[in-house]
Amino acid sequence: MFVFACIGYANGNLGQMLAPINGQGDFCGYGNQVGFGYLYIYDLTPATENPDAFWSYGICVESCPSSTGTINCPSATEVTTDCGNSDTRYDTTNSFGYCIPNEDSLTTDEQNDYSNFLNSYRSSIGGDFLVDIYREKWIILMGVGFTLVYTLIYIKFMDYCAFCISWFSMILIQVAFVGIGLGVYYWGQDLEETN
């Protein structure tokens, strides 16, 4: 299995496998979407009203947009005529190539729709798991960081103590052998005296 994983990694394209896919089925950042590696939902209201078609409102953009500025996408006619540059824009944050809406920048109606969408997504299979991972990503990363630090400290501690631990183990084994030998000797003596 390890060999197949190595062959797949060497000959495959892991980045493309993990890349977001727009509403037209194109991988963001690959093929005719080169240079546009982020997925942005250009009209959040209808997308959140129909969770089954949520990703069909996705377009590949050059960078995760804010509510001001211009949104750059490869072709303004592929999904929407203005590439999302309309009154429906909102601030976003990049999360592994997906432009996640900042809830504070949404209107009240959009916030309600987005909240309802997240609730329906959470009730789906695996949705709650993924939403929790996204919301608690910094705690998870901190846990990984602390684990790495504790592991390095333990390795250094063992490096400094290895000499002492090895001698202590050898002495303990010798004492145990001598103790077992003496115990068997005295047990044998007791058996001879009772016979």
Side-chain angles (χ1 to χ4, degrees), residues 38-108:
Y38 301 93
L39 184 72
Y40 172 68
I41 305 300
Y42 68 89
D43 198 354
L44 199 58
T45 301
T48 54
E49 289 173 354
N50 186 6
D52 292 336
F54 182 80
W55 300 110
S56 65
Y57 290 90
I59 56 173
C60 297
V61 293
E62 196 172 40
S63 63
C64 286
S66 64
S67 57
T68 60
T70 303
I71 301 172
N72 297 318
C73 64
S75 173
T77 59
E78 66 176 19
V79 176
T80 175
T81 55
D82 64 355
C83 196
N85 288 298
S86 64
D87 295 336
T88 61
R89 282 187 304 164
Y90 50 91
D91 288 329
T92 58
T93 303
N94 176 25
S95 180
F96 303 106
Y98 293 89
C99 300
I100 306 296
N102 293 339
E103 293 183 48
D104 297 336
S105 69
L106 302 175
T107 65
T108 305

Side-chain angles (χ1 to χ4, degrees), residues 101-121:
N102 293 339
E103 293 183 48
D104 297 336
S105 69
L106 302 175
T107 65
T108 305
D109 290 338
E110 288 174 332
Q111 285 178 351
N112 291 335
D113 290 341
Y114 187 63
S115 178
N116 291 337
F117 167 74
L118 287 180
N119 289 336
S120 70
Y121 187 69

